[in-house]
Amino acid sequence: MSPAEAQGVGRRRLLFGGAAAGLGAVAAVGAQFAGGRNDSPELTRTALDTSGANGAETVPFYGRHQAGVATAPQAHAAFVALDLRGGVGRERIRSWLRLLSDDAASLTQGRAALADTEPELAGNPARLTVTFGFGPGLVAAIAPHLAPPWLGPLPAFSIDALQDRWSGGDLLLQVGADDPLTLAHAQRMLLKDSRAFAVVRWIQTGFRHAYGSEAAGTTMRNLFGQVDGSANPRPGTPEFDRVVWGDTEIPAWLEGGTSMVVRRIAMNLDTWDELDRRGREEAVGRRLDNGAPLTGTAEHDEPDFDAVTPLGFRVIPEYSHMRRARPEDPRQRIYRRGYNYDAVPEPGGTISDAGQIFVAFQADVRAQFLPIQERLDKLDLLNEWTTPIGSAVFAVPPGAREGGFVGEQLFG
């Protein structure tokens, strides 16, 4: 038996042992291991917007913070990681970032990029945003003295099965929009801008509910059917600002900036199908119908982790994902802004290759993200159905001033 197999057996033995063995999630796991659009040309874009579409809606590009963090998540996103070409130094990087910023500023406002050969595709921005994240290599090439101590690969976790094709990168472009055609066009324009400076390392595309299919502000669901992100701080509140943009106790690496963790998490939907509803809810700690804690009735009810059943078991099990993710220290909070993915499965294998592009923003990765991840690594029943296969950390610069470019502060 390999060390990894031995570790997995040890975790299952811990989870299945003692009083917990009678609970639905553990019992189920044990069983599992045992065996209307109008296309009339007369309608203008304005008319479509007034009838419910949002193609003309824009999000400002310039500002103190970059868009795409506090922005309400769009229906579609692409995460594009690039590696610097050999010989591309500080001054050429400055030119590249200015070019990217200028074109992103135009595209997000519904204007064609500088060398746009399909300008008609830029006319409906649909809340397009472009968010820049700087990897270790890029910061080292520009301003190594400004590199935050947390900028680098995360520590190895026992649950990881990381693949190079989904990990690392010198520059990340998070591109989001409510229209996939707008998104594809913007991605292509930004990659054309990058050809002389960098090569694509990886691209991950994700989705949420289509625009208009849910009420604004509805918490997303992942492909396990769970309401995902209920504990997020709400943008526009002091708590969100503290968590994401930092404060005097946990400051951001640059004023107006933040950090970004991107993890590709494979979700084993095929074996999840074998788990009954009670088991699924115990594994998460929340009801599937509305996302309420198992001790509450509404999504945002405060969970009671001390509540017990008539038999003396915890209503919200110690191994549940919500219990493991909930910090004792209120400083250990993050803002999740993830997306689902559903790729083509390998021939002859499982019937699905799906999961989540987990995205977390926080002022300091080491102070906020890592303690949560360490608890999940040690004991989280959801680990039986989820496997991180990609990981990257990026420093997110402040927003750009009008006439400037993203990352300008690093050039002094």
Side-chain angles (χ1 to χ4, degrees), residues 49-266:
D49 285 340
T50 58
S51 67
N54 73 331
E57 288 191 22
T58 60
V59 178
F61 178 78
Y62 297 110
R64 181 167 181 262
H65 305 297
Q66 288 196 66
V69 181
T71 307
Q74 300 95 324
H76 305 273
F79 300 84
V80 182
L82 299 148
D83 282 341
L84 290 169
R85 289 187 180 275
V88 175
R90 192 171 189 268
E91 290 309 310
R92 292 198 66 202
I93 294 173
R94 182 203 293 265
S95 299
W96 179 34
L97 293 175
R98 179 173 289 281
L99 177 59
L100 287 171
S101 297
D102 287 349
D103 277 352
S106 293
L107 290 164
T108 58
Q109 304 311 300
R111 301 189 302 268
L114 180 62
D116 200 335
T117 53
E118 294 85 32
E120 293 80 9
L121 297 181
N124 292 300
R127 296 201 308 122
L128 175 70
T129 59
V130 180
T131 312
F132 295 58
F134 292 179
L138 191 67
V139 175
I142 300 172
H145 62 289
L146 293 178
W150 44 257
L151 184 57
L154 296 174
F157 298 106
S158 65
I159 58 175
D160 288 353
L162 302 183
Q163 303 172 17
D164 287 342
R165 62 174 176 154
W166 305 123
S167 301
D170 291 332
L171 175 70
L172 180 78
L173 298 174
Q174 174 194 262
V175 188
D178 286 326
D179 178 11
L181 184 59
T182 295
L183 176 65
H185 176 67
Q187 175 182 311
R188 180 166 179 263
M189 293 302 101
L190 298 172
L191 287 176
K192 286 170 67 174
D193 287 346
S194 302
R195 282 185 295 201
F197 306 94
V199 295
V200 173
R201 184 181 181 95
W202 49 258
I203 297 177
Q204 302 185 50
T205 59
F207 59 90
R208 289 173 168 236
H209 283 292
Y211 174 81
S213 64
E214 294 278 359
T218 301
T219 308
M220 74 167 281
R221 286 185 183 268
N222 61 36
L223 293 177
F224 282 161
Q226 305 160 340
V227 173
D228 195 327
S230 301
N232 263 343
R234 299 183 64 179
T237 65
E239 178 69 358
F240 178 91
D241 292 345
R242 179 188 70 77
V243 170
V244 175
W245 310 121
D247 58 12
T248 55
E249 186 177 342
I250 303 180
W253 71 295
L254 291 177
E255 185 178 353
T258 187
S259 73
M260 182 181 189
V261 176
V262 181
R263 304 264 283 174
R264 187 177 183 88
I265 301 177

Side-chain angles (χ1 to χ4, degrees), residues 370-402:
L370 277 184
I372 298 173
Q373 187 58 54
E374 287 166 353
R375 287 194 301 274
L376 296 175
D377 184 54
K378 291 176 182 176
L379 181 65
D380 176 10
L381 190 57
L382 263 183
N383 292 340
E384 298 294 346
W385 298 276
T386 60
T387 304
I389 59 174
S391 184
V393 176
F394 300 95
V396 178
R401 61 180 178 84
E402 196 155 358

Side-chain angles (χ1 to χ4, degrees), residues 230-307:
S230 301
N232 263 343
R234 299 183 64 179
T237 65
E239 178 69 358
F240 178 91
D241 292 345
R242 179 188 70 77
V243 170
V244 175
W245 310 121
D247 58 12
T248 55
E249 186 177 342
I250 303 180
W253 71 295
L254 291 177
E255 185 178 353
T258 187
S259 73
M260 182 181 189
V261 176
V262 181
R263 304 264 283 174
R264 187 177 183 88
I265 301 177
M267 298 163 62
N268 194 331
L269 297 180
D270 297 353
T271 56
W272 181 255
D273 287 344
E274 301 170 11
L275 191 59
D276 64 19
R277 192 174 186 85
R278 180 187 175 196
R280 295 181 181 197
E281 293 184 333
E282 288 174 355
V284 181
R286 292 184 178 273
R287 292 171 50 180
L288 287 172
D289 58 353
N290 65 356
L294 295 182
T295 55
T297 58
E299 179 186 354
H300 298 292
D301 287 349
E302 188 65 21
D304 181 359
F305 293 117
D306 294 323

Side-chain angles (χ1 to χ4, degrees), residues 328-344:
E328 301 291 342
D329 182 353
R331 306 294 299 177
Q332 296 172 4
R333 295 196 69 188
I334 61 175
Y335 176 67
R336 299 176 57 167
R337 198 177 185 277
Y339 283 81
N340 300 309
Y341 75 84
D342 189 11
V344 178

